[in-house]
Amino acid sequence: MRKFYFLCTAMLLMFATSVKADRILFQENYETGGIPSTWTYAAEAGKNNGATIAGDSEGHYFSVYGGSANGRSANCFWGEGIYGEDKSAITEYSVHVEFQFQAFGNDTKKGQHNGNLAIFSDEKCALTNGAKSGTYGPYCVLSNNCLFDIAQNSVDAATNPGASDTDITHWFLYNDTTNAITPAAGTWYELNLTVNTTTREVTWSMADFDNTFSKQGSFTLPEDANAYATGLYLMLARYQSVVNVDNIKVTIPGEFANTPVIALTGLKDSERTYTISFMEGETLHLTGTDGSQKTIGYYDTGEVLGQYVYTTTTSGTISAYTTVGTKTSDTATMDVNCTPIVLPTPTYAIVSAAAGYEKVYQFTVDNSGVEMQPEIFMDFSFKSENGTDDFVLSNQNNGAKVTVPSKGTLTVTTKAIGYNSSTTSLMNDQSYEITQDIDLQHLTAADLTAKGFVAMDPLDSETTSGESNWTGRQRLYYQIENGGTDDEGKPTYDKYLVWGPSTVGGEPIQRYQYLQSNLNEETAHSLFAPLYLWYGTTGVDPSITKYFEEDGVTPKVDHLGHTGGTTNVKMYEGIGLLFSGNLGDGGDFYTSSTASYAAIAVNYVTLGVDGLTSNDMILVSKITDYGTTSAHPQFPLGTDPAEAKNQYLASNLGDNKEIISSGLETFQLYRVQDAITRVQVLSPGTSGIKDIVAGQVISDHNAPIYNLNGVQVNAKSLKPGVYVKQGKKFIVR
């Protein structure tokens, strides 16, 4: 339990003549394992968001973090089943939740600062991403089945002058602008609800653990609302918001002995510490691993009431039960192994490589099977064959990337406080050479025209919307030292925009497209050979194919003569390869003569390289997020801007490197905002000639595709599922 009880409160309760333990219908305290199956969280790939079990000196808790995503929600759904087959027999119950707004969102755009915490009674969580019928708002506005609601900046400024679009500090209780509070970041709060299912009255209280804030109230549920709480809803405002939850409990009053909860909460070499939790009014009966027995009252547990801490260095079994009056609970047991735990060795992947022996390895340690799931660090020691490239790195975080410059041995040690370290080594003894170099960035207008590309209107806008982001965000630039220094004495630089709005000194981006109606199996392989462009409907949401296929296979033709079926290939001169994300020639495919389908239908397209083996690697250089990961070379003081620009244009601008560890694998390009600047193939050996072993599988993107029953299927109309190609499984989602 996260709450520290105040001494005065504890003393008053100790003198109570009769205390009865409530019966627990549902409980989560996050001390006994990973994320419970009751939780659902809508994460967004690439946005550094998600959910985890976190911890501090007082124990573990559920943590959900929004990262760089727009508003994202999470919900814990325990359902009506906890109330039994005849829920009408329960006329009163209570809900307890402890929560913390560790960090609030930092974006003030209208409709996006919609943090929310609610207790609901719907059949399932009514909201998935904070919106219902396209409207953002607190749960209590969008559903009658709401027992508690606190929402950030939930009332629009137009109807509430006191809550401007930039007012992100006020949270409204039940969307009542006269009932606003300002929760403190990092402060833990407890919420208590008591619901009388007969009178339909909900009584609630919210208070912080420092006894500096409290709020309470009551209301009567509407007649058409469900009176039995079924879950907890969270909405995280954008960006970087973090909400933590602990000790969810649904109880009914009465004399009941609940089974205690035993959780491992401390570990150091051969020592194990367990916390045994039980309810107020109960007496705990404990048998330790050495067979000793002890009886503990609720007020005998120490600073945190109801949590008894047991430490042992003896392997065996802990058993515990509670009593209340004449009632006795079931017995909880926990097997204890005090043998020191050896940490697992890391797995690794090559995430970048260059000609020769140089590689970048990324090391990851899976701690999910390690008791207490400790934070693991790594030490690295490289011994080079040439004796000049040796290095040591200490206390690197899990997921560390390590550049190995030459042939030699890299030794890796995993470590965590209280655990035994493990050591492993890998030999960096395979050299590679570049056998293919497809430089998409430096194809000229003449090159593109010869391939059949058609010029489009150039991008020359300051607007940050759609493709205009490529110029509007002004991220394609180089820098020249200006002679100044910053507060730390480091040189400062002037920015020289290259590709960007002409109104601020940049150059428009010349765009070219290759109409999808010209893309067929032959041109998909030959356009940038040996790079293969996937041209069919693989990667397209199957539910959308009805808009551009007559029968699931044959493309429709609109009233303008345009064909549907895939997405246009685009090239930005001086940047590289893009995909529009729109279906049909020119991106204006019509489903009829009057209605257009303008929504983006293809988020990712798939590419591969022909003629490779599993021993080859593919190095893909990308620019992502409208230029965020483009190279920004820095030049010394006095450099001629014209010369710097020439060097900039001659360099590879794709600073986002992705390594494909097998030449048989494919890779993906995200729509509109990302560009591939270069594709290189690295092959083993130094002879300059690629050796292909007889019988070795060679990448063939025309190879037939089979389902798991061995039946060949149409590669152009794959439904979601698992398929086999060239003996390798892949998934269509």
Side-chain angles (χ1 to χ4, degrees):
M1 178 175 289
R2 202 148 289 280
K3 180 175 180 179
F4 285 85
Y5 282 76
F6 306 111
L7 181 60
C8 59
T9 303
M11 291 297 291
L12 287 172
L13 289 174
M14 287 179 67
F15 289 105
T17 57
S18 177
V19 178
K20 296 180 180 180
D22 291 341
R23 178 179 180 179
I24 299 173
L25 301 181
F26 173 79
Q27 180 175 232
E28 286 183 359
N29 63 10
Y30 311 107
E31 300 294 349
T32 57
I35 298 175
S37 60
T38 52
W39 278 98
T40 299
Y41 178 64
E44 184 176 355
K47 299 296 185 178
N48 300 316
N49 60 343
T52 189
I53 299 298
D56 56 23
S57 60
E58 297 172 35
H60 293 94
Y61 51 84
F62 175 81
S63 181
V64 58
Y65 46 98
S68 57
N70 288 333
R72 281 294 180 272
S73 68
N75 70 84
C76 175
F77 183 75
W78 53 78
E80 287 192 19
I82 66 170
Y83 301 101
E85 293 184 2
D86 183 14
K87 65 179 182 181
S88 63
I90 297 177
T91 58
E92 183 180 299
Y93 68 92
S94 297
V95 180
H96 173 90
V97 179
E98 297 167 14
F99 62 91
Q100 177 197 61
F101 300 112
Q102 181 177 324
F104 298 114
N106 56 24
D107 183 77
T108 57
K109 290 185 178 179
K110 181 178 178 180
Q112 290 292 341
H113 227 100
N114 53 325
N116 194 192
L117 183 148
I119 304 294
F120 62 85
S121 56
D122 283 302
E123 291 183 6
K124 59 181 180 179
C125 184
L127 309 181
T128 55
N129 64 353
K132 187 175 184 181
S133 301
T135 303
Y136 282 82
Y139 204 106
C140 68
V141 172
L142 303 175
S143 174
N144 260 354
N145 294 309
C146 184
L147 306 176
F148 179 80
D149 188 283
I150 177 173
Q152 182 182 24
N153 195 24
S154 54
V155 179
D156 188 84
T159 57
N160 177 33
S164 68
D165 291 341
T166 57
D167 176 14
I168 62 174
T169 60
H170 289 99
W171 291 62
F172 300 113
L173 289 153
Y174 296 96
N175 203 43
D176 179 0
T177 59
T178 66
N179 204 358
I181 64 172
T182 305
T187 295
W188 279 93
Y189 296 86
E190 70 166 341
L191 168 67
N192 289 290
L193 299 180
T194 298
V195 181
N196 186 311
T197 61
T198 302
T199 65
R200 307 182 66 77
E201 184 177 27
V202 178
T203 303
W204 60 270
S205 66
M206 175 180 163
D208 66 5
F209 290 177
D210 299 324
N211 205 27
T212 60
F213 164 85
S214 64
K215 198 89 170 179
Q216 55 277 323
S218 64
F219 72 99
T220 301
L221 280 168
E223 286 301 319
D224 59 345
N226 179 22
Y228 295 87
T230 56
L232 167 71
Y233 171 78
L234 297 176
M235 181 66 190
L236 283 77
R238 76 176 191 183
Y239 299 103
Q240 308 301 336
S241 53
V242 181
V243 180
N244 302 321
V245 174
D246 202 1
N247 296 316
I248 303 176
K249 207 158 33 179
V250 182
T251 60
I252 57 176
E255 186 175 86
F256 194 84
N258 296 283
T259 305
V261 177
I262 306 173
L264 177 65
T265 53
L267 183 153
K268 182 179 180 182
D269 300 324
S270 297
E271 183 181 272
R272 301 290 183 270
T273 298
Y274 292 84
T275 299
I276 301 99
S277 304
F278 59 107
M279 293 281 289
E280 184 180 2
E282 296 173 339
T283 299
L284 177 68
H285 302 267
L286 173 68
T287 301
T289 55
D290 58 358
S292 61
Q293 297 182 345
K294 191 169 186 178
T295 300
I296 304 105
Y298 183 78
Y299 296 104
D300 298 328
T301 52
E303 189 174 23
V304 183
L305 298 179
Q307 290 195 358
Y308 180 73
V309 178
Y310 172 77
T311 300
T312 182
T313 56
T314 303
S315 298
T317 301
I318 300 171
S319 62
Y321 64 92
T322 66
T323 57
V324 176
T326 60
K327 299 183 181 299
T328 301
S329 76
D330 293 336
T331 299
T333 61
M334 176 71 70
D335 292 330
V336 177
N337 185 347
C338 290
T339 304
I341 295 174
V342 179
L343 294 172
T345 56
T347 58
Y348 67 88
I350 300 172
V351 295
S352 188
Y357 289 96
E358 180 179 328
K359 302 178 192 69
V360 178
Y361 294 93
Q362 184 169 25
F363 294 87
T364 305
V365 184
D366 181 6
N367 70 350
S368 61
V370 182
E371 284 191 298
M372 297 290 294
Q373 298 181 357
E375 184 175 7
I376 296 178
F377 297 91
M378 288 175 280
D379 293 340
F380 298 92
S381 175
F382 180 65
K383 184 68 175 177
S384 61
E385 187 177 80
N386 60 26
T388 60
D389 292 330
D390 298 1
F391 64 81
V392 173
L393 298 172
S394 301
N395 300 320
Q396 303 298 297
N397 291 325
N398 201 357
K401 296 179 180 179
V402 179
T403 300
V404 179
S406 60
K407 187 176 182 179
T409 303
L410 182 67
T411 301
V412 188
T413 300
T414 59
K415 59 185 185 180
I417 296 175
Y419 297 79
N420 286 6
S421 299
S422 66
T423 300
T424 187
S425 298
L426 73 88
M427 298 293 295
N428 185 53
D429 57 1
Q430 177 62 66
S431 64
Y432 285 84
E433 66 172 10
I434 297 174
T435 55
Q436 297 286 350
D437 192 345
I438 306 162
D439 189 352
L440 298 162
Q441 178 187 328
H442 295 106
L443 291 174
T444 65
D447 295 330
L448 296 172
T449 301
K451 290 178 179 294
F453 279 83
V454 179
M456 304 174 65
D457 292 337
L459 289 175
D460 186 15
S461 173
E462 294 184 59
T463 302
T464 54
S465 175
E467 286 188 66
S468 293
N469 276 292
W470 279 97
T471 52
R473 294 194 180 275
Q474 302 179 33
R475 291 169 172 165
L476 301 161
Y477 60 88
Y478 61 90
Q479 296 175 303
I480 298 179
E481 190 177 348
N482 58 23
T485 57
D486 60 17
D487 293 340
E488 298 179 355
K490 297 179 180 178
T492 54
Y493 293 82
D494 290 331
K495 172 181 173 181
Y496 290 80
L497 184 64
V498 179
W499 306 117
S502 57
T503 54
V504 292
E507 295 182 24
I509 297 175
Q510 300 299 323
R511 298 186 296 167
Y512 298 82
Q513 69 175 336
Y514 191 89
L515 297 182
Q516 64 84 36
S517 56
N518 294 329
L519 196 65
N520 54 43
E521 197 134 343
E522 179 183 352
T523 54
H525 286 269
S526 62
L527 201 60
F528 298 113
L531 181 68
Y532 167 68
L533 307 176
W534 215 286
Y535 76 97
T537 56
T538 299
V540 178
D541 181 349
S543 67
I544 297 173
T545 59
K546 64 184 179 183
Y547 292 103
F548 61 90
E549 291 181 349
E550 298 287 357
D551 52 10
V553 177
T554 308
K556 290 180 181 178
V557 178
D558 71 5
H559 68 293
L560 300 176
H562 292 168
T563 305
T566 187
T567 182
N568 300 323
V569 182
K570 285 188 179 179
M571 288 290 299
Y572 285 1
E573 187 178 357
I575 296 175
L577 174 71
L578 295 91
F579 276 87
S580 70
N582 293 318
L583 297 173
D585 282 346
D588 59 358
F589 180 74
Y590 282 77
T591 59
S592 70
S593 60
T594 57
S596 66
Y597 185 74
I600 288 177
V602 185
N603 279 338
Y604 290 92
V605 290
T606 306
L607 302 93
V609 179
D610 289 326
L612 304 188
T613 73
S614 59
N615 294 327
D616 298 308
M617 294 192 296
I618 307 170
L619 179 61
V620 183
S621 299
K622 292 182 180 180
I623 299 175
T624 59
D625 192 22
Y626 304 109
T628 295
T629 57
S630 63
H632 305 131
Q634 294 180 330
F635 299 94
L637 183 67
T639 301
D640 179 7
E643 176 58 28
K645 181 178 178 180
N646 287 336
Q647 293 187 42
Y648 172 90
L649 294 175
S651 65
N652 178 21
L653 300 182
D655 259 9
N656 187 332
K657 310 292 185 182
E658 177 185 2
I659 196 80
I660 313 302
S661 60
S662 168
L664 301 180
E665 295 180 4
T666 56
F667 52 96
Q668 292 183 315
L669 175 60
Y670 190 61
R671 60 169 172 83
V672 183
Q673 68 175 33
D674 297 347
I676 294 178
T677 62
R678 194 175 194 176
V679 177
Q680 297 168 293
V681 174
L682 291 94
S683 301
T686 57
S687 65
I689 301 174
K690 256 185 70 175
D691 295 325
I692 298 178
V693 179
Q696 191 171 34
V697 176
I698 301 172
S699 59
D700 176 10
H701 300 288
N702 286 323
I705 296 175
Y706 300 91
N707 62 25
L708 293 182
N709 295 321
V711 178
Q712 185 173 346
V713 295
N714 187 339
K716 297 180 181 179
S717 58
L718 298 179
K719 298 179 180 179
V722 180
Y723 298 90
V724 179
K725 184 175 183 178
Q726 292 186 276
K728 188 172 183 178
K729 292 180 181 178
F730 68 96
I731 298 175
V732 174
R733 302 185 185 279

